[in-house]
Amino acid sequence: MTTTEEQAVALKNEGNKAFAAHDWVTAIDCYTKAIELNPNEPTYYSNRAQANIKSEAYGYAIADATKAIELNPNFVKAYYRRAVAYTAILKSRDALRDFKTVVKKAPNDKDAKLKLAECEKIIKKVEFFRAIEIGDEPSAAEGLDLDSMVVEADYDGARIDKKMTPEFITDMLERFKNGKKIHKKYVYQIILAVKKIVYDEATMVEIDIEDDSQLTVCGDTHGQFFDLMELFRLNGLPSEKHHYLFNGDFVDRGSWSTEIALLLYAYKWLRPSSFFINRGNHETDDMNRVYGFEGECKAKYNERVFKLFSESFSALPLATLIGKKYLVLHGGLFSDDKVTLDDIRKLNRHNQRQPGQAGLMMEMLWTDPQTEPGRGPSKRGVGMQFGPDITKRFCENNGLDAIIRSHEVRMEGYEEEHDGKCITVFSAPKYCDSTENKGAYINIGPDYKLKFHKFDAVPHPNIKPMAYANNSLMSMT
């Protein structure tokens, strides 16, 4: 007869197998069961911390690594994993403290020394940006004379005159598929045109679906351009009668973020009243500096392109209300039950370019659902979590059928939670080439019924996710 400890070891081994298969959910479940049988074994917490890192539950990872350290203060791997989790949520000073501990306890660990140096560099960079941040910084468009900017005669792509055309988008798609770029004059034109369009939109865009139309809601695409092409192949390109809404996090992590951002913006310019974009937590400066979009803009175009994108991101709407039935926003609900749709309508997003650490904007971009009633601390370490009772009250108070949100991987590409009142849709299949999830999108017709569609990842050129991230620390996550 096996002992409790032997059963725990067997569960840990099952968890390790699931982890190796990139099935983070099963791995976490196995490690949790092992912990229930033997709560005094630090390895189980450390292993679960790593699985939580992989599933972006950085707050849980920090708690697990901390418990492992309590049980064994010399457990170097636990300090290392906690440092990585802190890095992921941009708590670089906490990460630095842990990396210093790792180097002290394992002086021959070359990788830890590299990570420590990288962490010190990040802190200096963050402090530099804080020091130069001023409220009335001039726009990156200042001094940009597009009229006199010449597109060379040997440029072999379609051209923009004064407005976007379907022909330009078709040509741009082919260029991007073949690893080509568009001329930087057109990049500037697209971003500036869309910044003006979205700046004038409401913080919560309100739309109805006409009798002969349909709307497709897409979740995170995270720079996975070739998977977005597959979504369009299966579901059709945007058109006057086929509207699209992209619910944030279209940049960072994946290495074709500029291609996706320019494509979505080109469609927004072409079809301003039938193509919609919500802001996500990755359409923000601090995330872009760590997770690759800033580096990609500089590598493919220049720093000014990143700054213009940054200005346009801060102008994006934060939510879309569909037929007064569905509120679509990137993260989720609020720490206060009194928040209404009117509060979102009144929110002046132009007074606050970045979401900060608290408030309505931060919660709209960062929060997540949980199965337990009430509210709880965030598994991410940022924002908070809300239960089915919170969702039910919010929907009842605001006359909604459901909220639709994104922000989290779902293995089937989507999930209906909270008695169907909280729906998550995620459109980046095989996320970061490391999670065996499907992608999904939702089609909504004039009857306002939700039709879910799943799709698989497709091959892409051999460029890894995070290829443009400006630090090696994020390769760990």
Side-chain angles (χ1 to χ4, degrees):
M1 191 171 164
T2 56
T3 65
T4 303
E5 284 190 8
E6 286 169 337
Q7 287 171 18
V9 170
L11 282 162
K12 179 205 74 171
N13 293 337
E14 272 183 52
N16 290 350
K17 273 187 200 164
F19 187 91
H22 297 174
D23 184 352
W24 322 126
V25 174
T26 302
I28 289 166
D29 187 50
C30 290
Y31 297 140
T32 301
K33 286 173 179 168
I35 287 166
E36 285 165 0
L37 291 173
N38 183 3
N40 297 314
E41 174 48 61
T43 311
Y44 303 161
Y45 294 97
S46 178
N47 286 12
R48 191 170 69 176
Q50 183 66 351
N52 275 319
I53 285 170
K54 289 293 186 183
S55 58
E56 299 186 17
Y58 302 118
Y60 286 178
I62 289 163
D64 277 340
T66 302
K67 182 65 179 175
I69 289 162
E70 281 172 16
L71 292 166
N72 179 1
N74 293 313
F75 196 172
V76 171
K77 201 176 274 186
Y79 287 103
Y80 197 100
R81 286 173 177 168
R82 188 168 71 178
V84 167
Y86 276 134
T87 302
I89 56 172
L90 313 182
K91 293 190 173 178
S92 302
R93 290 202 167 278
D94 295 314
L96 182 70
R97 189 179 62 240
D98 280 341
F99 279 130
K100 281 181 174 174
T101 304
V102 172
V103 169
K104 190 176 174 184
K105 290 182 182 292
N108 297 323
D109 188 330
K110 288 181 184 171
D111 191 49
K113 285 180 181 170
L114 282 171
K115 297 279 194 280
L116 175 61
E118 191 67 63
C119 200
E120 287 171 333
K121 208 160 75 183
I122 289 169
I123 287 171
K124 281 181 187 157
K125 191 175 179 183
V126 168
E127 286 173 350
F128 169 75
F129 280 117
R130 277 196 189 129
I132 63 168
E133 267 175 13
I134 49 173
D136 299 319
E137 192 177 353
S139 168
E142 210 165 277
L144 191 59
D145 184 0
L146 289 177
D147 291 334
S148 64
M149 194 175 288
V150 176
V151 178
E152 298 76 11
D154 62 354
Y155 178 71
D156 62 351
R159 295 171 181 245
I160 299 174
D161 184 14
K162 293 294 182 189
K163 62 180 186 178
M164 181 53 62
T165 64
E167 293 74 24
F168 184 90
I169 294 178
T170 300
D171 179 75
M172 180 170 70
L173 279 172
E174 285 307 308
R175 294 183 74 79
F176 289 166
K177 284 178 193 170
N178 294 314
K180 292 182 173 182
K181 295 178 288 188
I182 60 172
H183 196 279
K184 68 181 178 190
K185 176 176 181 174
Y186 303 141
V187 174
Y188 294 145
Q189 280 182 285
I190 290 167
I191 302 171
L192 290 173
V194 172
K195 179 187 166 189
K196 183 176 187 318
I197 292 166
V198 297
Y199 189 95
D200 291 338
E201 288 183 320
T203 294
M204 182 176 74
V205 174
E206 302 184 43
I207 58 176
D208 294 307
I209 302 170
E210 293 151 4
D211 283 348
D212 53 351
S213 300
Q214 77 164 340
L215 170 71
T216 298
V217 180
C218 302
D220 304 31
T221 52
H222 274 303
Q224 295 185 199
F225 174 77
F226 292 89
D227 295 318
L228 176 57
M229 291 301 95
E230 175 69 355
L231 188 159
F232 283 148
R233 185 186 74 79
L234 294 167
N235 196 51
L237 291 167
S239 69
E240 277 306 319
K241 298 298 181 185
H242 189 167
H243 306 177
Y244 271 83
L245 164 58
F246 282 81
N247 193 27
D249 280 18
F250 47 93
V251 301
D252 279 342
R253 294 194 179 274
S255 295
W256 291 271
S257 291
T258 55
E259 285 81 359
I260 286 189
L262 287 168
L263 177 60
L264 299 191
Y265 275 27
Y267 271 121
K268 182 64 183 174
W269 189 7
L270 180 68
R271 308 190 188 285
S273 57
S274 63
F275 191 94
F276 307 97
I277 308 170
N278 285 343
R279 188 180 192 179
N281 65 303
H282 275 268
E283 281 74 52
T284 54
D285 286 355
D286 52 0
M287 301 300 273
N288 294 158
R289 285 180 185 134
V290 172
Y291 286 96
F293 184 60
E294 180 186 43
E296 186 181 334
C297 286
K298 288 177 179 176
K300 292 179 181 175
Y301 296 102
N302 55 38
E303 185 173 14
R304 180 177 239 158
V305 166
F306 171 67
K307 287 185 171 174
L308 288 171
F309 265 126
S310 166
E311 290 174 26
S312 73
F313 289 169
S314 69
L316 287 170
L318 301 179
T320 304
L321 182 64
I322 302 171
K324 298 187 171 52
K325 289 174 176 290
Y326 304 107
L327 175 68
V328 186
L329 72 176
H330 181 72
L333 295 180
F334 308 96
S335 53
D336 185 347
D337 274 345
K338 295 191 187 76
V339 173
T340 66
L341 295 180
D342 271 343
D343 292 311
I344 300 172
R345 286 185 182 102
K346 290 175 196 163
L347 179 61
N348 187 345
R349 68 193 190 280
H350 302 311
N351 283 347
Q352 184 187 343
R353 287 197 58 209
Q354 304 301 323
Q357 297 296 308
L360 285 192
M361 187 192 291
M362 184 279 287
E363 291 179 351
M364 291 173 77
L365 299 184
W366 276 100
T367 61
D368 294 297
Q370 64 181 25
T371 53
E372 304 82 18
R375 294 179 174 88
S378 170
K379 62 185 176 187
R380 296 172 190 272
V382 182
M384 57 99 201
Q385 294 181 182
F386 57 94
D389 53 329
I390 307 298
T391 304
K392 185 171 185 278
R393 273 200 298 277
F394 182 83
C395 288
E396 285 173 355
N397 291 346
N398 292 282
L400 297 170
D401 287 3
I403 66 161
I404 299 173
R405 39 91 62 185
S406 302
H407 195 38
E408 290 181 281
V409 178
R410 289 293 186 263
M411 294 311 288
E412 292 303 308
Y414 74 94
E415 187 174 0
E416 296 176 88
E417 301 169 81
H418 296 183
D419 298 317
K421 292 191 179 299
C422 178
I423 295 151
T424 299
V425 59
F426 192 84
S427 305
K430 201 170 184 185
Y431 178 46
C432 289
D433 289 351
S434 66
T435 302
E436 299 301 327
N437 64 294
K438 293 184 182 299
Y441 51 93
I442 306 170
N443 283 334
I444 311 174
D447 60 358
Y448 293 98
K449 298 274 193 297
L450 306 182
K451 298 180 182 70
F452 298 96
H453 298 268
K454 298 187 281 190
F455 68 105
D456 293 314
V458 293
H460 60 71
N462 188 24
I463 301 171
K464 289 182 167 53
M466 303 291 289
Y468 300 96
N470 60 8
N471 73 83
S472 62
L473 293 178
M474 298 322 300
S475 65
M476 287 290 296
T477 66

